[in-house]
Amino acid sequence: IQDNQKSFSRLQMLIDAVVIAAAYVVAWMIRFIGPFAYSAVRALAFEQYMFALIFIIPGYLLLYQAFTLYEPLHMQGRRLVLANIIKANYMIGEPDFSRLTVYIFCVVNIFMEWGVRLLIDSLLKDMRKRGLNQKQILLVGYSRAAEEYIDRIMQNPQWGYIVRGILDDNVPAGTTYKGVKVIGRIANLMIILP
């Protein structure tokens, strides 16, 4: 699971880098070509604005990492992720850059990042409902809490978990709960896990 999570985090970082660059270009276009162009004073050339991406993209990726934006969305909740995106985009403008461009960039970036994250989350949920992108788990210990956990997992297929079995020292092997079997003793973990 951790290898998959690391791969997904790297992919998410790449997507974020593309979104940040796109949001930055869109913000520049809105400010200097679009509806705010009438009041624009071009103190810097387009190339100088784009050169700043060399610093902006890594800076944002570090901020996103600091604000735990590379944790799965279903583990944090949508509102917390949106709040963290907003926090990461709260920044002070460079004095040589148009402040309006910086503000537009922040707003555009927030909406684009939020939209991309929601799109990815909905695609992953759809895949999990169809049986793809599943995480297989093994429960250690049989109890009422384990039964409730199994119930919750079965009620929420979008989480992407499949309970492969339960290990317990007090319940005999073969005992089942809603199709999930007790498959052995806790001491057998290292034999069963592979």
Side-chain angles (χ1 to χ4, degrees):
I1 291 176
Q2 287 194 357
D3 287 340
N4 288 341
Q5 184 61 36
K6 286 179 184 177
S7 296
F8 184 74
S9 292
R10 287 186 197 118
L11 178 61
Q12 183 66 48
M13 287 177 125
L14 179 63
I15 291 169
D16 283 341
V18 170
V19 169
I20 292 164
Y24 191 73
V25 171
V26 167
W28 186 90
M29 291 173 69
I30 290 171
R31 175 64 177 118
F32 294 106
I33 299 173
F36 299 105
Y38 69 91
S39 66
V41 176
R42 291 192 188 187
L44 299 174
F46 174 77
E47 292 79 14
Q48 290 171 302
Y49 272 96
M50 295 307 117
F51 181 76
L53 283 172
I54 294 171
F55 305 104
I56 291 171
I57 290 173
Y60 266 88
L61 295 179
L62 289 172
L63 283 171
Y64 288 173
Q65 184 73 37
F67 285 109
T68 66
L69 289 172
Y70 296 118
E71 298 294 320
L73 186 64
H74 69 272
M75 301 294 280
Q76 295 186 60
R78 294 176 181 204
R79 285 183 292 209
L80 179 60
V81 170
L82 178 59
N84 287 338
I85 291 171
I86 292 169
K87 288 177 200 173
N89 277 278
Y90 180 77
M91 58 184 267
I92 299 171
E94 169 67 32
D96 291 337
F97 287 74
S98 161
R99 274 183 272 157
L100 185 56
T101 306
V102 173
Y103 298 146
I104 293 169
F105 166 66
C106 289
V107 171
V108 169
N109 194 45
I110 288 168
F111 282 108
M112 287 178 72
E113 287 288 352
W114 180 236
V116 166
R117 278 181 166 67
L118 290 179
L119 176 66
I120 290 170
D121 186 55
S122 71
L123 290 172
L124 290 174
K125 279 183 182 178
D126 184 56
M127 288 172 61
R128 289 181 191 126
K129 283 181 182 177
R130 290 184 286 134
L132 304 169
N133 193 31
Q134 298 288 327
K135 297 168 195 83
Q136 300 178 29
I137 62 173
L138 187 64
L139 296 178
V140 177
Y142 188 97
S143 65
R144 181 72 190 132
E147 290 176 350
E148 290 173 4
Y149 189 65
I150 291 168
D151 290 340
R152 296 242 355 207
I153 288 173
M154 290 182 172
Q155 290 168 355
N156 295 287
Q158 71 274 10
W159 290 353
Y161 294 118
I162 297 175
V163 181
R164 286 292 178 195
I166 304 170
L167 298 177
D168 193 87
D169 293 336
N170 301 320
V171 178
T175 303
T176 63
Y177 178 77
K178 295 192 177 179
V180 179
K181 283 187 179 183
V182 174
I183 56 176
R185 301 177 57 79
I186 294 172
N188 297 343
L189 177 66
M190 297 314 287
I191 297 167
I192 294 172
L193 200 54

